[in-house]
Amino acid sequence: MQLISENRAFGGRHCRYRHAAETTNCEMTFAVYLPPFASKENPVPVLYWLSGLTCTDENFMQKAGAMKMAAELGMAIVAPDTSPRGEGVADDDNQAYDMGLGAGFYVNATQAPWSSHYQMYDYITKELPALVEANLPVTGEKAISGHSMGGHGALVIGLRNPEQYVSVSAFSPISNPSDCPWGKKALGGYLGNDESAWSEYDASVLLAQKQHYIPLLVEQGRADQFLEEQLKPQALINAAQKSDTQLTLNMHEGYDHSYFFITSFIDEHLQFHASHLGLS
């Protein structure tokens, strides 16, 4: 791990790191917020935050206003990048924002040219937490959250790995990627045309298949410009009802897809995760 930058914030530290990642076969960058008093003698639990299309590790840390509450709760936050990057990493031929760089969709790609680098699911669930836990003052207790494409990633990863995360939350998630333009393009490109392979990365499909006991919290703005065509939160509600899984999904009048929405409710999400991480 190479330290890129470090800044003091709310008595803790915001750090950016770069490392050579085996899963994605390139250098990856991620950000960490460590609350005050986090140390080898006093390790703290971690919330992993997955960002949305076009974002990097920097968006959430700089815009969400999460560090003050994280400092008060004693919670670390880890924010990875949204895709592999660098020379030789495939990108969309037309440089579209919803495929390729900045749009990894948190899947393990099986199709060329994506498969040689776009192994984001393994990076998030295996390599990154192992690296963080080996090098930083954190425990193995983890929660996961995210926004939009990252909300999709958080829900999928949490539902598939309930033994690894104590709680899951999402803001404006792509709830049913098998049935929306963003998801069809990304899953088709990364995984191929066999739609049966897409189901492992579709939160609504996973949620409907069996009853889940991991705590789930979702926020959605009713004024979100992507609500009807891309996000489809009703699919999550239907899936939870089908499997008899407890899901809290809050709809908010007047809120859109931006970080103004996230910063309005991020404290409630941090407190939600803190309650399951044993911090409150």
Side-chain angles (χ1 to χ4, degrees):
M1 283 170 47
Q2 176 189 353
L3 180 65
I4 302 171
S5 63
E6 180 175 347
N7 302 93
R8 196 77 170 168
F10 300 102
R13 294 182 293 139
H14 171 267
C15 303
R16 297 185 72 220
Y17 293 97
R18 181 185 297 118
H19 73 108
E22 294 182 5
T23 49
T24 59
N25 193 27
C26 66
E27 282 196 337
M28 296 293 290
T29 300
F30 66 95
V32 180
Y33 178 70
L34 293 170
F37 312 117
S39 66
K40 184 177 181 180
E41 294 74 27
N42 184 40
V44 296
V46 183
L47 172 66
Y48 284 81
W49 174 271
L50 307 184
S51 289
L53 291 166
T54 75
C55 292
T56 68
D57 64 283
E58 296 181 282
N59 295 73
F60 177 78
M61 291 299 198
Q62 295 184 12
K63 294 181 178 180
M67 286 185 277
K68 183 177 181 180
M69 180 58 68
E72 294 175 4
L73 294 169
M75 175 192 300
I77 301 175
V78 173
D81 203 346
T82 50
S83 76
R85 298 181 194 268
E87 187 175 351
V89 176
D91 194 11
D92 184 84
D93 290 339
N94 298 314
Q95 296 184 322
Y97 75 94
D98 55 357
M99 190 76 183
L101 299 183
F105 264 80
Y106 307 103
V107 305
N108 284 341
T110 59
Q111 305 298 302
W114 314 105
S115 55
S116 59
H117 294 284
Y118 285 75
Q119 304 296 310
M120 288 297 292
Y121 179 86
D122 279 354
Y123 177 71
I124 298 298
T125 61
K126 297 176 182 179
E127 185 170 8
L128 182 60
L131 183 75
V132 168
E133 290 166 23
N135 291 278
L136 296 172
V138 300
T139 69
E141 290 288 297
K142 298 184 288 294
I144 191 164
S145 185
H147 172 235
S148 195
M149 178 186 72
H152 138 77
L155 290 170
V156 166
I157 287 170
L159 290 171
R160 287 179 58 175
N161 301 275
E163 76 290 343
Q164 190 171 340
Y165 303 92
V166 302
S167 52
V168 182
S169 75
F171 287 80
S172 315
I174 303 172
S175 300
N176 192 191
S178 299
D179 188 34
C180 76
W182 279 340
K184 288 180 178 180
K185 179 179 179 179
L187 297 182
Y190 294 137
L191 305 176
N193 294 326
D194 181 3
E195 294 188 16
S196 64
W198 301 3
S199 61
E200 292 188 6
Y201 298 102
D202 190 312
S204 292
V205 174
L206 295 170
L207 189 55
Q209 286 176 346
K210 65 177 182 178
Q211 188 172 20
H212 297 266
Y213 295 97
I214 189 167
L216 302 169
L217 173 63
V218 176
E219 308 293 331
Q220 176 63 60
R222 292 189 185 275
D224 193 313
Q225 62 269 41
F226 304 113
L227 179 62
E228 300 298 331
E229 183 181 25
Q230 304 283 12
L231 306 180
K232 302 188 175 184
Q234 188 61 45
L236 279 182
I237 296 172
N238 295 342
Q241 291 173 343
K242 184 175 181 179
S243 63
D244 195 27
T245 295
Q246 184 174 353
L247 165 70
T248 300
L249 197 158
N250 301 314
M251 300 295 296
H252 299 276
E253 292 292 342
Y255 285 91
D256 59 18
H257 199 70
S258 71
Y259 265 83
F260 293 108
F261 176 48
I262 296 172
T263 194
S264 297
F265 299 100
I266 191 62
D267 283 358
E268 286 86 343
H269 278 240
L270 294 181
Q271 291 164 345
F272 164 76
H273 291 297
S275 68
H276 296 288
L277 290 165
L279 293 175
S280 62

